[in-house]
């Protein structure tokens, strides 16, 4: 759990993914489209990490998106935030993007 | 004296004797007169198969005839009409196709052995009666054919009506049973036992949704045209929006049973399917189409709508790329060289592992559909925050009209006359 939080606060935008998860690919793409360069952590072979994410309330565990060290949500939440403009706002606030 | 029967069109003539009455003279290959035409016209495509001397003739271009032919034909005709078919032993299963035609009364007729091509008993009297007889016969045949045709049509229509009744009854039964929570499986669809269950239920749900949708639309339209107050309009808009969003809920449930049916738009009309994107419409496209219906828009509104369209497009792109990655990954998984030979536990384990991985990937399709629908719902929701109540109402009407037209187009397309 600490490791997750630690990693999550190292960069403005952090996404925990799995290489086999194609929805993770979509979320990554969205961030790139917005001009962000999120830190990507693959938890394919890290059951502990995945478990930790679940403990933090990430449901589904993957993809888990953190902005400014705070858990923002999974794919569904990210889409909601993106549509109403909140996602961009958060990224700007966290200095992940400038405009 | 053997006898041969030959079929001429739909009429059959039993010819007693080996002589071949050539009431078709062969001087120019196409013989006959109007008097003969009725008989000849029955020959239709069979003339080629009848071993008349001189081969076939063109029944549609009967023009000249020789006295010789006429005479032969008239006498032959008389013979045929006056004869009875009373000696079954004269009908042989010979080389030519044979059937006894009860309409024709044919008895043996004597062929003058000295002239094998002329039936005996010919005289001029026959020639006079002949045209009238021919006409009568032709008229009778036409009447008969028409009558049979009418009967066939009647039977067919009756059959259709019965089928239609049955179909309505079955539909009602399905509705009743479904209401009681019974899942009706499509027994005709044995090849896909899963899809039968989910798809059929969804088809029924969807058609009910469409009916209710049209009710909401009519209400909304009436309210807009009668310039109802904003408060009244707002509740109608809310109801209509909530109902519109119901479809996403229904699709989600149906996708659990059969994701392929939903995601590949099997439930939509063909024309809608043209524009299909992950199981539904593209909200960015819809917004583009709506702008003209929402005018007048303020500068702010225009900018916001434009921004929303871009936003939606970004998300659509992201989801599309994810789908592409899924497709790629699935293909790679299956194309991976899983050893089929040598058979053995390791080979089988690899194969099963491969399949298990592929299964996992297919499972994520459902998630993509869910997120795509979520995007649609959210985008439309966001749109309503930008618009006034009246504009929202018009937007809902415009969306509904657009899809109705796509469905109508599909119906027309499916009903188009095809050769």
């Amino acid at each position: 759990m600490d490791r997750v939080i630690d990693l999550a606060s190292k960069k403005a935008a952090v996404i925990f993914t799995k290489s086999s998860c194609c929805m993770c690919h979509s979320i990554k793409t969205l961030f790139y489209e917005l001009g962000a360069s999120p830190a990507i952590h693959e938890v394919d072979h890290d059951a502990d990490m995945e478990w930790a994410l679940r403990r933090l309330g990430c449901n589904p565990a993957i993809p888990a998106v953190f902005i400014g060290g705070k858990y923002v949500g999974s794919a569904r939440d990210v889409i909601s935030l993106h549509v109403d403009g909140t996602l961009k706002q958060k990224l700007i606030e966290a200095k992940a993007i400038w405009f | 004296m053997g006898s041969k029967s030959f079929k001429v069109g739909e009429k059959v003539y039993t010819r007693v004797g080996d002589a071949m009455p050539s009431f078709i003279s062969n001087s120019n290959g196409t013989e006959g007169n109007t008097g003969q035409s009725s008989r000849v016209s029955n020959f239709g495509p069979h003339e080629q198969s009848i071993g008349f001397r001189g081969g076939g003739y063109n029944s549609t271009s009967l023009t000249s005839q020789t006295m010789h032919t006429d005479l032969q034909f008239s006498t032959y005709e008389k013979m045929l009409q006056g004869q009875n078919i009373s000696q079954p032993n004269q009908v042989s299963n010979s080389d030519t196709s044979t059937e006894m035609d009860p309409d024709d009364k044919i008895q043996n007729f004597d062929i003058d052995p000295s002239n094998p091509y002329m039936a005996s008993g010919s005289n001029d009297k026959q020639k006079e009666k002949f045209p009238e007889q021919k006409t009568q016969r032709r008229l009778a045949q036409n009447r008969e054919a028409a009558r049979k045709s009418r009967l066939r049509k009647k039977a067919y229509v009756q059959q259709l009506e019965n089928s239609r009744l049955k179909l309505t009854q079955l539909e009602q039964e399905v509705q009743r049973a479904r209401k009681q929570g019974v899942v009706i499986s499509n027994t005709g669809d044995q090849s896909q036992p899963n899809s039968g269950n989910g798809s059929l239920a969804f088809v029924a749900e969807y058609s009910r949704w469409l009916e209710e949708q049209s009710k909401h639309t009519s209400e909304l339209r009436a309210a807009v045209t009668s310039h109802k107050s904003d408060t009244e309009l707002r509740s109608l808009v809310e109801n209509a929006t909530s109902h519109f969003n119901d479809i996403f809920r229904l699709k989600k449930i149906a996708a659990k049973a059969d994701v392929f049916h939903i995601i590949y738009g099997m439930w939509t009309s063909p024309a809608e399917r043209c524009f299909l994107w992950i199981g539904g419409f593209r909200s960015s496209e819809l917004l583009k189409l709506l702008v003209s219906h929402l005018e007048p828009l303020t500068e702010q509104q225009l900018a916001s709508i434009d921004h929303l369209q871009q936003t939606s497009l970004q998300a659509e792109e992201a989801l599309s790329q994810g789908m592409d990655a899924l497709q790629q990954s699935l293909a790679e998984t299956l194309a991976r060289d899983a050893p089929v030979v040598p058979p053995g536990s390791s080979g089988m384990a690899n194969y099963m592992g491969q399949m298990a991985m592929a299964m996992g990937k297919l499972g994520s399709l459902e998630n993509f559909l869910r997120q795509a629908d979520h995007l649609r719902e959210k985008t439309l929701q966001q749109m309503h925050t930008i618009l006034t109540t009246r504009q929202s109402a018009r937007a809902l009407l415009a969306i509904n009209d657009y899809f109705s037209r796509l469905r109508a187009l599909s119906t027309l397309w499916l009903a188009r006359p095809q050769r």
Side-chain angles (χ1 to χ4, degrees), chain B residues 119-156:
Chain B
S120 59
S122 62
N123 51 43
D124 288 323
K125 260 189 279 181
Q126 310 302 331
K127 198 170 77 166
E128 281 160 22
K129 281 195 213 165
F130 165 67
E132 191 194 302
Q133 279 173 355
K134 280 318 296 170
T135 315
Q136 289 304 319
R137 189 177 184 77
R138 184 183 52 211
L139 289 174
Q141 285 160 359
N142 284 350
R143 275 197 295 276
E144 185 58 36
R147 191 175 74 84
K148 284 184 181 158
S149 180
R150 278 194 299 276
L151 284 172
R152 273 200 303 275
K153 182 179 175 184
K154 197 170 172 190
Y156 179 66

Side-chain angles (χ1 to χ4, degrees), chain B residues 263-402:
Chain B
I263 205 169
Y264 292 102
M266 301 320 297
W267 54 282
T268 59
S269 63
E272 285 174 279
R273 237 172 279 149
C274 279
F275 303 97
L276 198 78
W277 175 78
I278 311 187
F281 59 87
R282 267 187 193 267
S283 10
S284 62
E285 281 303 310
L286 206 62
L287 284 173
K288 252 198 275 184
L289 298 171
L290 284 178
V291 170
S292 55
H293 288 90
L294 299 174
E295 274 152 16
L297 289 165
T298 67
E299 286 289 328
Q300 178 79 12
Q301 283 180 318
L302 262 172
S304 300
I305 295 280
D306 190 61
H307 181 77
L308 180 60
Q309 196 196 315
Q310 292 303 314
T311 304
S312 177
L313 193 57
Q314 273 170 336
E316 286 162 28
E317 271 308 303
L319 286 174
S320 292
Q321 289 207 23
M323 280 287 278
D324 287 347
L326 177 61
Q327 213 175 26
Q328 181 84 2
S329 170
L330 185 61
E332 279 170 9
T333 302
L334 290 175
R336 204 171 301 149
D337 217 2
V340 178
V341 203
S345 59
S346 73
M348 182 51 91
N350 280 343
Y351 185 76
M352 295 297 282
Q354 197 183 36
M355 282 298 154
M357 217 186 319
M359 286 282 280
K361 296 194 190 297
L362 281 187
S364 54
L365 274 177
E366 217 183 301
N367 195 19
F368 275 98
L369 174 67
R370 263 208 306 274
Q371 301 314 327
D373 274 350
H374 180 64
L375 175 63
R376 291 174 190 120
E377 196 172 340
K378 278 286 160 186
T379 304
L380 289 179
Q381 188 186 53
Q382 184 70 11
M383 179 192 75
H384 286 304
T385 66
I386 301 170
L387 303 176
T388 66
T389 312
R390 196 156 297 272
Q391 283 168 330
S392 286
R394 296 216 311 266
L396 285 168
L397 290 174
I399 292 172
N400 201 75
D401 285 346
Y402 178 67

Side-chain angles (χ1 to χ4, degrees), chain A residues 19-20 22-27 29-30 33-34 60 62 75-77 79-80 82-85 88, chain B residues 307-308 311 314-315 317-319 321-323 325-326 329 361 367-368 370-371 374-375 378-379 382:
Chain A
S19 62
S20 57
C22 295
M23 187 54 73
C24 296
H25 185 94
S26 284
I27 298 302
T29 306
L30 186 60
E33 280 176 345
L34 291 171
I62 299 296
R76 189 182 166 90
D77 308 301
I79 288 174
S80 303
H82 175 65
V83 170
D84 66 21
K88 203 168 188 183
Chain B
H307 181 77
L308 180 60
T311 304
Q314 273 170 336
E317 271 308 303
L319 286 174
Q321 289 207 23
M323 280 287 278
L326 177 61
S329 170
K361 296 194 190 297
N367 195 19
F368 275 98
R370 263 208 306 274
Q371 301 314 327
H374 180 64
L375 175 63
K378 278 286 160 186
T379 304
Q382 184 70 11

Side-chain angles (χ1 to χ4, degrees), chain B residues 115-219:
Chain B
N115 181 358
Y117 303 113
M118 181 178 289
S120 59
S122 62
N123 51 43
D124 288 323
K125 260 189 279 181
Q126 310 302 331
K127 198 170 77 166
E128 281 160 22
K129 281 195 213 165
F130 165 67
E132 191 194 302
Q133 279 173 355
K134 280 318 296 170
T135 315
Q136 289 304 319
R137 189 177 184 77
R138 184 183 52 211
L139 289 174
Q141 285 160 359
N142 284 350
R143 275 197 295 276
E144 185 58 36
R147 191 175 74 84
K148 284 184 181 158
S149 180
R150 278 194 299 276
L151 284 172
R152 273 200 303 275
K153 182 179 175 184
K154 197 170 172 190
Y156 179 66
V157 169
Q158 189 62 41
Q159 201 186 32
L160 277 180
E161 288 293 308
N162 291 344
S163 298
R164 201 167 65 87
L165 267 169
K166 205 168 170 192
L167 183 65
T168 323
Q169 279 167 4
L170 282 172
E171 275 173 356
Q172 283 169 354
E173 273 179 36
V174 169
Q175 289 277 49
R176 267 198 299 273
R178 197 179 39 75
K179 278 197 173 73
Q180 291 163 15
V182 176
V183 178
I184 315 264
S185 69
N186 188 357
T187 52
D189 200 9
Q190 292 301 331
S191 59
Q192 294 160 302
N194 276 335
S195 71
N197 267 337
S199 316
L200 196 59
F202 181 73
V203 164
E205 298 270 3
Y206 180 58
S207 64
R208 192 164 60 154
W209 182 84
L210 281 174
E211 278 174 30
E212 287 169 9
Q213 182 69 2
S214 102
K215 278 191 212 133
H216 278 105
T217 307
S218 310
E219 266 181 350

Side-chain angles (χ1 to χ4, degrees), chain B residues 218-236:
Chain B
S218 310
E219 266 181 350
L220 203 55
R221 201 186 305 275
V224 167
T225 46
S226 64
H227 299 288
K228 286 246 177 356
S229 74
D230 261 24
T231 17
E232 282 183 68
L233 211 50
R234 180 177 299 280
S235 73
L236 281 175

